[in-house]
Amino acid sequence: MARGRVAIVDYGSGNLRSAQKAFERAARDEGLPLAIDVTSDPQAVAEAERIVLPGVGAFGDCRRGLYAVPGMVEALEEAVIRGGRPFLGICVGMQLMVQEGLEFGRHEGLGWLEGQVVAMEPGNGLKVPHMGWNELGLTQAHALTAGIAAGDHAYFVHSYRVRGTRPDHVLATSDYGEVFPAVIGRDNMAGTQFHPEKSQATGLRLIGNFLRWRP
């Protein structure tokens, strides 16, 4: 394992530069001598101390992009499932953690957590996509949400959301005409539906917590 290295997985999806800058800033703020690498090399991912999987776009497109990188899914399985390395999925990267996505067809996910990705149906005249700042509701104490209070705001951009995840795997929620998981996780893996790299103080706090997390 390459200690002191955080791998942000590049599989053709995600705002990688802004994510890298946010993780670099959080590392500086926390006084952590970490290298933040954007990489499409499965070996670098397999050897990283921590792994981040971003994702922007449709579930099926992101899944195809991830599986199109030879050896990448196997590297993730080796590092995260068998190796127990801390893992953070962001937006569609979080959604890929569950069993399947129902966006433009049925697509198999990584299956690390129970659940499906389904279209948002907020009602109350609210528009989809859900885009902008929204409050977080904390459902249980967790190292990743330490220092974040109920009612703190995070930045969301999504039309689909996770449902059917075990309640004990939901770490925080948000409400946009319907309550949905905003942070999910178990063991050494977690994911955020919002974009921590765009969520200012709340996002930097969560990223800093992730960089210190010892699950």
Side-chain angles (χ1 to χ4, degrees):
M1 180 178 68
R3 293 194 178 276
R5 306 198 76 82
V6 179
I8 299 178
V9 181
D10 179 4
Y11 62 103
S13 177
N15 192 346
L16 302 176
R17 182 55 188 152
S18 66
Q20 184 181 30
K21 289 174 63 177
F23 276 78
E24 288 173 344
R25 177 178 171 181
R28 288 195 304 271
D29 290 349
E30 297 289 331
L32 299 172
L34 296 172
I36 313 298
D37 297 330
V38 173
T39 181
S40 58
D41 179 4
Q43 188 63 31
V45 171
E47 294 176 354
E49 179 181 323
R50 297 167 191 275
I51 300 167
V52 180
L53 183 68
V56 174
F59 184 101
D61 291 341
C62 289
R63 183 195 185 280
R64 281 189 290 273
L66 184 62
Y67 278 78
V69 181
M72 184 60 78
V73 172
E74 292 80 4
L76 288 170
E77 295 275 352
E78 177 63 30
V80 179
I81 302 302
R82 291 183 287 277
R85 313 279 174 74
F87 171 92
L88 182 68
I90 296 174
C91 198
V92 182
M94 176 193 106
Q95 295 178 357
L96 287 168
M97 296 168 66
V98 303
Q99 293 163 311
E100 63 177 358
L102 304 181
E103 184 174 3
F104 306 117
R106 186 180 297 270
H107 310 278
E108 185 178 354
L110 292 168
W112 295 351
L113 293 169
E114 295 177 6
Q116 294 178 316
V117 177
V118 300
M120 297 191 74
E121 298 179 348
N124 300 329
L126 295 171
K127 295 181 179 180
V128 175
H130 172 209
M131 182 181 301
W133 295 90
N134 209 346
E135 293 183 356
L136 298 177
L138 304 181
T139 57
Q140 57 182 294
H142 193 277
L144 287 187
T145 55
I148 298 173
D152 283 354
H153 286 74
Y155 189 82
F156 294 83
V157 183
H158 62 121
S159 300
Y160 285 73
R161 53 83 140 210
V162 170
R163 75 173 181 196
T165 301
R166 283 176 41 171
D168 58 322
H169 292 163
V170 178
L171 309 181
T173 62
S174 193
D175 188 341
Y176 184 70
E178 58 179 336
V179 177
F180 62 89
V183 185
I184 62 175
R186 69 172 177 88
D187 303 328
N188 58 302
M189 63 187 76
T192 64
Q193 182 61 71
F194 60 89
H195 287 268
E197 75 278 11
K198 298 180 180 179
S199 295
Q200 298 181 5
T202 300
L204 287 172
R205 178 71 270 149
L206 185 137
I207 293 170
N209 289 341
F210 172 73
L211 295 178
R212 287 190 175 276
W213 189 27
R214 300 290 181 186

